[in-house]
Amino acid sequence: AKNINEAVVLPSKFADQELKFEVYVPDGYNNYSDERYPVFYTTAGGSRINVLKEQLAWLSHVGFGALPKVIIVTVPYIEIETDMEPKYISASGINSDLTIEVLNQEVMPYINKHFKTHPFNILEGFSSSGNFPLYVLANKPELFNAYISVSPALVLDKSGLLTKFDNRLASPDYKNKSL
């Protein structure tokens, strides 16, 4: 099956909204097989999700490829009250703690229960949403095994993100983590 897509809507105990996210399973995904897949969580939406799906499919199309086949899950956007323009909210970090809580307590358990997952999780973000993987790495590094931050908008961060990495990268929390 190619690009099977499931739109998920979950009530949230933490966010004051329903959680909406998409799940894409890789070619060959089969509920009756024992094969399990790492999960690639992404902040991509709109047109970028289509490009990302194709890039990941290409990187995993052969057994010796650069990446194994993965289940792709879009990170739900958590709305908060602010005067800030929407495109700056993600980059600022003001909704990051709530987004982490929603991922950790609601989205990831749902994915692990309803899909054939392998216990290896990747978090990816780009541009204004590229700060989020760095924020999670700084504040809850155990949540993911690998972090991808492409062209993060660090100048828009309001959370003191870069200072959080001072002296932390040498700590045991970051052993076996990839950025």
mmCIF file of all heavy atoms in Angstrom, residues 64-109:
data_model
loop_
_atom_site.group_PDB
_atom_site.id
_atom_site.type_symbol
_atom_site.label_atom_id
_atom_site.label_comp_id
_atom_site.label_asym_id
_atom_site.label_seq_id
_atom_site.Cartn_x
_atom_site.Cartn_y
_atom_site.Cartn_z
ATOM 1 N N PHE A 64 19.471 -1.208 1.872
ATOM 2 C CA PHE A 64 20.723 -0.626 2.338
ATOM 3 C C PHE A 64 20.673 0.897 2.266
ATOM 4 O O PHE A 64 21.687 1.563 2.298
ATOM 5 C CB PHE A 64 21.908 -1.157 1.517
ATOM 6 C CG PHE A 64 21.757 -0.931 0.037
ATOM 7 C CD1 PHE A 64 22.152 0.263 -0.546
ATOM 8 C CD2 PHE A 64 21.210 -1.923 -0.767
ATOM 9 C CE1 PHE A 64 22.000 0.471 -1.909
ATOM 10 C CE2 PHE A 64 21.060 -1.732 -2.138
ATOM 11 C CZ PHE A 64 21.450 -0.525 -2.705
ATOM 12 N N GLY A 65 19.477 1.466 2.202
ATOM 13 C CA GLY A 65 19.311 2.908 2.087
ATOM 14 C C GLY A 65 19.774 3.657 3.321
ATOM 15 O O GLY A 65 20.100 3.071 4.356
ATOM 16 N N ALA A 66 19.744 4.968 3.219
ATOM 17 C CA ALA A 66 20.228 5.837 4.290
ATOM 18 C C ALA A 66 19.311 5.841 5.506
ATOM 19 O O ALA A 66 19.716 6.246 6.593
ATOM 20 C CB ALA A 66 20.368 7.262 3.755
ATOM 21 N N LEU A 67 18.084 5.384 5.326
ATOM 22 C CA LEU A 67 17.099 5.430 6.402
ATOM 23 C C LEU A 67 16.190 4.215 6.280
ATOM 24 O O LEU A 67 15.863 3.803 5.168
ATOM 25 C CB LEU A 67 16.252 6.711 6.223
ATOM 26 C CG LEU A 67 15.284 7.119 7.305
ATOM 27 C CD1 LEU A 67 16.044 7.674 8.508
ATOM 28 C CD2 LEU A 67 14.349 8.190 6.778
ATOM 29 N N PRO A 68 15.780 3.621 7.390
ATOM 30 C CA PRO A 68 14.797 2.531 7.281
ATOM 31 C C PRO A 68 13.431 3.114 6.930
ATOM 32 O O PRO A 68 13.214 4.328 7.032
ATOM 33 C CB PRO A 68 14.782 1.923 8.691
ATOM 34 C CG PRO A 68 15.188 3.048 9.585
ATOM 35 C CD PRO A 68 16.154 3.890 8.781
ATOM 36 N N LYS A 69 12.510 2.268 6.522
ATOM 37 C CA LYS A 69 11.142 2.733 6.316
ATOM 38 C C LYS A 69 10.603 3.205 7.661
ATOM 39 O O LYS A 69 10.880 2.588 8.695
ATOM 40 C CB LYS A 69 10.267 1.613 5.765
ATOM 41 C CG LYS A 69 10.594 1.264 4.333
ATOM 42 C CD LYS A 69 9.673 0.193 3.816
ATOM 43 C CE LYS A 69 10.000 -0.100 2.355
ATOM 44 N NZ LYS A 69 9.062 -1.064 1.782
ATOM 45 N N VAL A 70 9.865 4.308 7.646
ATOM 46 C CA VAL A 70 9.354 4.898 8.884
ATOM 47 C C VAL A 70 7.863 5.197 8.763
ATOM 48 O O VAL A 70 7.333 5.366 7.668
ATOM 49 C CB VAL A 70 10.090 6.212 9.246
ATOM 50 C CG1 VAL A 70 11.549 5.960 9.578
ATOM 51 C CG2 VAL A 70 9.953 7.257 8.143
ATOM 52 N N ILE A 71 7.213 5.236 9.910
ATOM 53 C CA ILE A 71 5.851 5.770 10.002
ATOM 54 C C ILE A 71 6.030 7.268 10.233
ATOM 55 O O ILE A 71 6.792 7.681 11.105
ATOM 56 C CB ILE A 71 5.092 5.132 11.183
ATOM 57 C CG1 ILE A 71 4.920 3.626 10.952
ATOM 58 C CG2 ILE A 71 3.744 5.827 11.397
ATOM 59 C CD1 ILE A 71 4.412 2.872 12.176
ATOM 60 N N ILE A 72 5.347 8.082 9.443
ATOM 61 C CA ILE A 72 5.448 9.533 9.582
ATOM 62 C C ILE A 72 4.218 10.040 10.335
ATOM 63 O O ILE A 72 3.084 9.682 9.991
ATOM 64 C CB ILE A 72 5.526 10.217 8.206
ATOM 65 C CG1 ILE A 72 6.726 9.690 7.407
ATOM 66 C CG2 ILE A 72 5.597 11.739 8.363
ATOM 67 C CD1 ILE A 72 6.729 10.116 5.945
ATOM 68 N N VAL A 73 4.451 10.870 11.342
ATOM 69 C CA VAL A 73 3.363 11.458 12.122
ATOM 70 C C VAL A 73 3.581 12.964 12.184
ATOM 71 O O VAL A 73 4.675 13.422 12.538
ATOM 72 C CB VAL A 73 3.331 10.889 13.563
ATOM 73 C CG1 VAL A 73 2.223 11.545 14.378
ATOM 74 C CG2 VAL A 73 3.166 9.378 13.540
ATOM 75 N N THR A 74 2.553 13.739 11.837
ATOM 76 C CA THR A 74 2.664 15.183 11.953
ATOM 77 C C THR A 74 2.392 15.594 13.397
ATOM 78 O O THR A 74 1.462 15.090 14.030
ATOM 79 C CB THR A 74 1.699 15.917 11.001
ATOM 80 O OG1 THR A 74 0.352 15.554 11.309
ATOM 81 C CG2 THR A 74 2.002 15.585 9.539
ATOM 82 N N VAL A 75 3.214 16.478 13.919
ATOM 83 C CA VAL A 75 3.053 16.986 15.280
ATOM 84 C C VAL A 75 1.854 17.934 15.284
ATOM 85 O O VAL A 75 1.803 18.862 14.478
ATOM 86 C CB VAL A 75 4.330 17.728 15.743
ATOM 87 C CG1 VAL A 75 4.120 18.416 17.089
ATOM 88 C CG2 VAL A 75 5.510 16.770 15.785
ATOM 89 N N PRO A 76 0.874 17.708 16.172
ATOM 90 C CA PRO A 76 -0.279 18.616 16.178
ATOM 91 C C PRO A 76 0.139 20.025 16.600
ATOM 92 O O PRO A 76 0.992 20.182 17.471
ATOM 93 C CB PRO A 76 -1.232 17.993 17.202
ATOM 94 C CG PRO A 76 -0.423 17.069 18.015
ATOM 95 C CD PRO A 76 0.770 16.669 17.194
ATOM 96 N N TYR A 77 -0.460 21.010 15.953
ATOM 97 C CA TYR A 77 -0.187 22.400 16.306
ATOM 98 C C TYR A 77 -1.053 22.768 17.502
ATOM 99 O O TYR A 77 -2.270 22.600 17.477
ATOM 100 C CB TYR A 77 -0.479 23.332 15.125
ATOM 101 C CG TYR A 77 -0.255 24.778 15.478
ATOM 102 C CD1 TYR A 77 1.040 25.269 15.609
ATOM 103 C CD2 TYR A 77 -1.319 25.628 15.724
ATOM 104 C CE1 TYR A 77 1.266 26.593 15.961
ATOM 105 C CE2 TYR A 77 -1.104 26.950 16.080
ATOM 106 C CZ TYR A 77 0.187 27.424 16.196
ATOM 107 O OH TYR A 77 0.415 28.722 16.552
ATOM 108 N N ILE A 78 -0.424 23.241 18.556
ATOM 109 C CA ILE A 78 -1.138 23.595 19.779
ATOM 110 C C ILE A 78 -1.331 25.112 19.807
ATOM 111 O O ILE A 78 -0.367 25.877 19.860
ATOM 112 C CB ILE A 78 -0.364 23.133 21.038
ATOM 113 C CG1 ILE A 78 -0.027 21.645 20.969
ATOM 114 C CG2 ILE A 78 -1.147 23.484 22.297
ATOM 115 C CD1 ILE A 78 -1.221 20.725 20.860
ATOM 116 N N GLU A 79 -2.591 25.521 19.766
ATOM 117 C CA GLU A 79 -2.913 26.947 19.789
ATOM 118 C C GLU A 79 -2.884 27.459 21.223
ATOM 119 O O GLU A 79 -3.301 26.775 22.146
ATOM 120 C CB GLU A 79 -4.302 27.185 19.200
ATOM 121 C CG GLU A 79 -4.370 26.855 17.729
ATOM 122 C CD GLU A 79 -5.754 27.075 17.145
ATOM 123 O OE1 GLU A 79 -6.562 27.799 17.757
ATOM 124 O OE2 GLU A 79 -6.007 26.520 16.081
ATOM 125 N N ILE A 80 -2.364 28.660 21.373
ATOM 126 C CA ILE A 80 -2.369 29.316 22.678
ATOM 127 C C ILE A 80 -2.767 30.765 22.473
ATOM 128 O O ILE A 80 -2.660 31.303 21.368
ATOM 129 C CB ILE A 80 -0.986 29.241 23.357
ATOM 130 C CG1 ILE A 80 0.085 29.843 22.445
ATOM 131 C CG2 ILE A 80 -0.619 27.834 23.735
ATOM 132 C CD1 ILE A 80 1.363 30.128 23.159
ATOM 133 N N GLU A 81 -3.234 31.402 23.532
ATOM 134 C CA GLU A 81 -3.611 32.806 23.425
ATOM 135 C C GLU A 81 -2.370 33.675 23.474
ATOM 136 O O GLU A 81 -1.573 33.586 24.398
ATOM 137 C CB GLU A 81 -4.566 33.186 24.562
ATOM 138 C CG GLU A 81 -5.942 32.601 24.354
ATOM 139 C CD GLU A 81 -7.016 33.452 25.006
ATOM 140 O OE1 GLU A 81 -6.807 34.673 25.185
ATOM 141 O OE2 GLU A 81 -8.050 32.870 25.314
ATOM 142 N N THR A 82 -2.224 34.502 22.460
ATOM 143 C CA THR A 82 -1.080 35.401 22.368
ATOM 144 C C THR A 82 -1.378 36.462 21.323
ATOM 145 O O THR A 82 -2.206 36.246 20.427
ATOM 146 C CB THR A 82 0.214 34.645 21.991
ATOM 147 O OG1 THR A 82 1.286 35.582 21.895
ATOM 148 C CG2 THR A 82 0.084 33.904 20.689
ATOM 149 N N ASP A 83 -0.699 37.586 21.422
ATOM 150 C CA ASP A 83 -0.811 38.641 20.405
ATOM 151 C C ASP A 83 0.189 38.408 19.277
ATOM 152 O O ASP A 83 0.199 39.134 18.301
ATOM 153 C CB ASP A 83 -0.536 40.019 21.036
ATOM 154 C CG ASP A 83 -1.595 40.396 22.045
ATOM 155 O OD1 ASP A 83 -2.724 39.860 21.955
ATOM 156 O OD2 ASP A 83 -1.303 41.232 22.932
ATOM 157 N N MET A 84 1.014 37.400 19.427
ATOM 158 C CA MET A 84 2.065 37.110 18.461
ATOM 159 C C MET A 84 1.473 36.608 17.142
ATOM 160 O O MET A 84 0.477 35.898 17.140
ATOM 161 C CB MET A 84 2.991 36.047 19.066
ATOM 162 C CG MET A 84 4.346 35.959 18.454
ATOM 163 S SD MET A 84 5.379 34.751 19.344
ATOM 164 C CE MET A 84 5.645 35.617 20.878
ATOM 165 N N GLU A 85 2.113 36.962 16.032
ATOM 166 C CA GLU A 85 1.684 36.445 14.732
ATOM 167 C C GLU A 85 1.885 34.936 14.699
ATOM 168 O O GLU A 85 2.886 34.437 15.202
ATOM 169 C CB GLU A 85 2.500 37.081 13.606
ATOM 170 C CG GLU A 85 2.173 38.520 13.331
ATOM 171 C CD GLU A 85 2.942 39.037 12.123
ATOM 172 O OE1 GLU A 85 2.958 38.353 11.080
ATOM 173 O OE2 GLU A 85 3.535 40.122 12.248
ATOM 174 N N PRO A 86 0.934 34.198 14.085
ATOM 175 C CA PRO A 86 1.015 32.721 14.084
ATOM 176 C C PRO A 86 2.350 32.158 13.618
ATOM 177 O O PRO A 86 2.841 31.195 14.194
ATOM 178 C CB PRO A 86 -0.124 32.313 13.147
ATOM 179 C CG PRO A 86 -1.101 33.426 13.262
ATOM 180 C CD PRO A 86 -0.281 34.679 13.460
ATOM 181 N N LYS A 87 2.958 32.752 12.596
ATOM 182 C CA LYS A 87 4.214 32.169 12.098
ATOM 183 C C LYS A 87 5.355 32.283 13.099
ATOM 184 O O LYS A 87 6.347 31.596 12.997
ATOM 185 C CB LYS A 87 4.596 32.749 10.744
ATOM 186 C CG LYS A 87 5.128 34.150 10.761
ATOM 187 C CD LYS A 87 5.527 34.558 9.344
ATOM 188 C CE LYS A 87 6.436 35.755 9.357
ATOM 189 N NZ LYS A 87 6.994 36.028 8.055
ATOM 190 N N TYR A 88 5.225 33.162 14.096
ATOM 191 C CA TYR A 88 6.281 33.324 15.090
ATOM 192 C C TYR A 88 6.048 32.505 16.355
ATOM 193 O O TYR A 88 6.948 32.351 17.169
ATOM 194 C CB TYR A 88 6.432 34.799 15.475
ATOM 195 C CG TYR A 88 6.851 35.668 14.319
ATOM 196 C CD1 TYR A 88 6.070 36.727 13.893
ATOM 197 C CD2 TYR A 88 8.039 35.405 13.637
ATOM 198 C CE1 TYR A 88 6.462 37.526 12.824
ATOM 199 C CE2 TYR A 88 8.428 36.188 12.562
ATOM 200 C CZ TYR A 88 7.640 37.250 12.165
ATOM 201 O OH TYR A 88 8.027 38.013 11.103
ATOM 202 N N ILE A 89 4.850 31.961 16.535
ATOM 203 C CA ILE A 89 4.533 31.239 17.767
ATOM 204 C C ILE A 89 5.437 30.020 17.941
ATOM 205 O O ILE A 89 6.046 29.834 18.991
ATOM 206 C CB ILE A 89 3.042 30.852 17.812
ATOM 207 C CG1 ILE A 89 2.193 32.124 17.947
ATOM 208 C CG2 ILE A 89 2.758 29.905 18.972
ATOM 209 C CD1 ILE A 89 0.700 31.889 17.799
ATOM 210 N N SER A 90 5.533 29.188 16.906
ATOM 211 C CA SER A 90 6.369 27.980 17.015
ATOM 212 C C SER A 90 7.824 28.334 17.274
ATOM 213 O O SER A 90 8.478 27.717 18.108
ATOM 214 C CB SER A 90 6.268 27.146 15.742
ATOM 215 O OG SER A 90 4.982 26.611 15.619
ATOM 216 N N ALA A 91 8.332 29.327 16.559
ATOM 217 C CA ALA A 91 9.737 29.705 16.710
ATOM 218 C C ALA A 91 10.022 30.275 18.087
ATOM 219 O O ALA A 91 11.114 30.098 18.621
ATOM 220 C CB ALA A 91 10.131 30.714 15.635
ATOM 221 N N SER A 92 9.033 30.933 18.684
ATOM 222 C CA SER A 92 9.256 31.594 19.977
ATOM 223 C C SER A 92 9.456 30.598 21.105
ATOM 224 O O SER A 92 10.124 30.893 22.083
ATOM 225 C CB SER A 92 8.069 32.497 20.321
ATOM 226 O OG SER A 92 6.940 31.703 20.691
ATOM 227 N N GLY A 93 8.832 29.428 20.998
ATOM 228 C CA GLY A 93 8.933 28.433 22.057
ATOM 229 C C GLY A 93 7.844 28.558 23.109
ATOM 230 O O GLY A 93 7.802 27.771 24.049
ATOM 231 N N ILE A 94 6.926 29.513 22.958
ATOM 232 C CA ILE A 94 5.931 29.727 24.020
ATOM 233 C C ILE A 94 4.899 28.602 24.124
ATOM 234 O O ILE A 94 4.262 28.458 25.159
ATOM 235 C CB ILE A 94 5.227 31.105 23.911
ATOM 236 C CG1 ILE A 94 4.447 31.244 22.609
ATOM 237 C CG2 ILE A 94 6.226 32.229 24.081
ATOM 238 C CD1 ILE A 94 3.628 32.523 22.515
ATOM 239 N N ASN A 95 4.747 27.799 23.067
ATOM 240 C CA ASN A 95 3.827 26.656 23.168
ATOM 241 C C ASN A 95 4.576 25.318 23.207
ATOM 242 O O ASN A 95 3.969 24.267 23.143
ATOM 243 C CB ASN A 95 2.800 26.676 22.032
ATOM 244 C CG ASN A 95 3.424 26.480 20.660
ATOM 245 O OD1 ASN A 95 4.643 26.545 20.502
ATOM 246 N ND2 ASN A 95 2.588 26.276 19.661
ATOM 247 N N SER A 96 5.885 25.352 23.341
ATOM 248 C CA SER A 96 6.690 24.127 23.259
ATOM 249 C C SER A 96 6.478 23.179 24.431
ATOM 250 O O SER A 96 6.402 21.968 24.242
ATOM 251 C CB SER A 96 8.168 24.458 23.105
ATOM 252 O OG SER A 96 8.395 25.101 21.866
ATOM 253 N N ASP A 97 6.396 23.694 25.664
ATOM 254 C CA ASP A 97 6.195 22.803 26.816
ATOM 255 C C ASP A 97 4.878 22.049 26.702
ATOM 256 O O ASP A 97 4.820 20.849 26.967
ATOM 257 C CB ASP A 97 6.244 23.585 28.135
ATOM 258 C CG ASP A 97 7.649 24.031 28.501
ATOM 259 O OD1 ASP A 97 8.612 23.311 28.156
ATOM 260 O OD2 ASP A 97 7.781 25.098 29.119
ATOM 261 N N LEU A 98 3.822 22.745 26.294
ATOM 262 C CA LEU A 98 2.524 22.102 26.136
ATOM 263 C C LEU A 98 2.564 21.086 24.987
ATOM 264 O O LEU A 98 2.002 19.996 25.094
ATOM 265 C CB LEU A 98 1.429 23.153 25.897
ATOM 266 C CG LEU A 98 0.003 22.638 25.806
ATOM 267 C CD1 LEU A 98 -0.385 21.796 27.013
ATOM 268 C CD2 LEU A 98 -0.956 23.817 25.648
ATOM 269 N N THR A 99 3.248 21.422 23.912
ATOM 270 C CA THR A 99 3.373 20.497 22.787
ATOM 271 C C THR A 99 4.129 19.235 23.209
ATOM 272 O O THR A 99 3.743 18.124 22.838
ATOM 273 C CB THR A 99 4.059 21.180 21.584
ATOM 274 O OG1 THR A 99 3.305 22.346 21.223
ATOM 275 C CG2 THR A 99 4.139 20.247 20.386
ATOM 276 N N ILE A 100 5.181 19.387 24.005
ATOM 277 C CA ILE A 100 5.927 18.231 24.512
ATOM 278 C C ILE A 100 5.009 17.347 25.349
ATOM 279 O O ILE A 100 4.996 16.124 25.199
ATOM 280 C CB ILE A 100 7.150 18.674 25.343
ATOM 281 C CG1 ILE A 100 8.221 19.285 24.441
ATOM 282 C CG2 ILE A 100 7.733 17.498 26.134
ATOM 283 C CD1 ILE A 100 9.353 19.967 25.197
ATOM 284 N N GLU A 101 4.231 17.944 26.226
ATOM 285 C CA GLU A 101 3.321 17.193 27.093
ATOM 286 C C GLU A 101 2.305 16.414 26.259
ATOM 287 O O GLU A 101 2.045 15.233 26.506
ATOM 288 C CB GLU A 101 2.603 18.155 28.050
ATOM 289 C CG GLU A 101 1.906 17.483 29.173
ATOM 290 C CD GLU A 101 2.857 16.944 30.227
ATOM 291 O OE1 GLU A 101 4.026 17.346 30.284
ATOM 292 O OE2 GLU A 101 2.409 16.083 31.008
ATOM 293 N N VAL A 102 1.731 17.068 25.254
ATOM 294 C CA VAL A 102 0.751 16.433 24.371
ATOM 295 C C VAL A 102 1.390 15.273 23.608
ATOM 296 O O VAL A 102 0.796 14.191 23.494
ATOM 297 C CB VAL A 102 0.148 17.493 23.414
ATOM 298 C CG1 VAL A 102 -0.529 16.858 22.228
ATOM 299 C CG2 VAL A 102 -0.808 18.400 24.178
ATOM 300 N N LEU A 103 2.597 15.478 23.084
ATOM 301 C CA LEU A 103 3.292 14.393 22.373
ATOM 302 C C LEU A 103 3.555 13.221 23.305
ATOM 303 O O LEU A 103 3.240 12.077 22.985
ATOM 304 C CB LEU A 103 4.618 14.891 21.791
ATOM 305 C CG LEU A 103 4.570 15.638 20.488
ATOM 306 C CD1 LEU A 103 5.948 16.208 20.154
ATOM 307 C CD2 LEU A 103 4.073 14.761 19.362
ATOM 308 N N ASN A 104 4.140 13.503 24.450
ATOM 309 C CA ASN A 104 4.570 12.471 25.383
ATOM 310 C C ASN A 104 3.395 11.710 26.002
ATOM 311 O O ASN A 104 3.446 10.490 26.119
ATOM 312 C CB ASN A 104 5.428 13.111 26.480
ATOM 313 C CG ASN A 104 6.094 12.100 27.369
ATOM 314 O OD1 ASN A 104 6.433 11.004 26.950
ATOM 315 N ND2 ASN A 104 6.283 12.464 28.626
ATOM 316 N N GLN A 105 2.342 12.390 26.370
ATOM 317 C CA GLN A 105 1.240 11.780 27.108
ATOM 318 C C GLN A 105 0.073 11.321 26.238
ATOM 319 O O GLN A 105 -0.707 10.466 26.658
ATOM 320 C CB GLN A 105 0.705 12.773 28.157
ATOM 321 C CG GLN A 105 1.730 13.216 29.166
ATOM 322 C CD GLN A 105 2.180 12.091 30.066
ATOM 323 O OE1 GLN A 105 1.427 11.192 30.398
ATOM 324 N NE2 GLN A 105 3.441 12.127 30.469
ATOM 325 N N GLU A 106 -0.059 11.891 25.030
ATOM 326 C CA GLU A 106 -1.247 11.587 24.224
ATOM 327 C C GLU A 106 -0.930 11.051 22.829
ATOM 328 O O GLU A 106 -1.403 9.981 22.459
ATOM 329 C CB GLU A 106 -2.146 12.838 24.137
ATOM 330 C CG GLU A 106 -2.637 13.254 25.520
ATOM 331 C CD GLU A 106 -3.427 14.539 25.562
ATOM 332 O OE1 GLU A 106 -3.014 15.551 24.959
ATOM 333 O OE2 GLU A 106 -4.481 14.539 26.227
ATOM 334 N N VAL A 107 -0.136 11.766 22.064
ATOM 335 C CA VAL A 107 0.101 11.373 20.667
ATOM 336 C C VAL A 107 0.969 10.117 20.574
ATOM 337 O O VAL A 107 0.601 9.142 19.907
ATOM 338 C CB VAL A 107 0.721 12.524 19.854
ATOM 339 C CG1 VAL A 107 1.051 12.068 18.431
ATOM 340 C CG2 VAL A 107 -0.216 13.730 19.822
ATOM 341 N N MET A 108 2.110 10.108 21.247
ATOM 342 C CA MET A 108 3.019 8.963 21.144
ATOM 343 C C MET A 108 2.381 7.675 21.680
ATOM 344 O O MET A 108 2.484 6.636 21.019
ATOM 345 C CB MET A 108 4.364 9.287 21.789
ATOM 346 C CG MET A 108 5.097 10.396 21.044
ATOM 347 S SD MET A 108 6.579 11.010 21.871
ATOM 348 C CE MET A 108 7.789 9.842 21.223
ATOM 349 N N PRO A 109 1.690 7.714 22.824
ATOM 350 C CA PRO A 109 1.000 6.487 23.261
ATOM 351 C C PRO A 109 -0.063 6.017 22.260
ATOM 352 O O PRO A 109 -0.213 4.809 22.034
ATOM 353 C CB PRO A 109 0.362 6.880 24.596
ATOM 354 C CG PRO A 109 1.223 7.992 25.105
ATOM 355 C CD PRO A 109 1.655 8.742 23.868
#
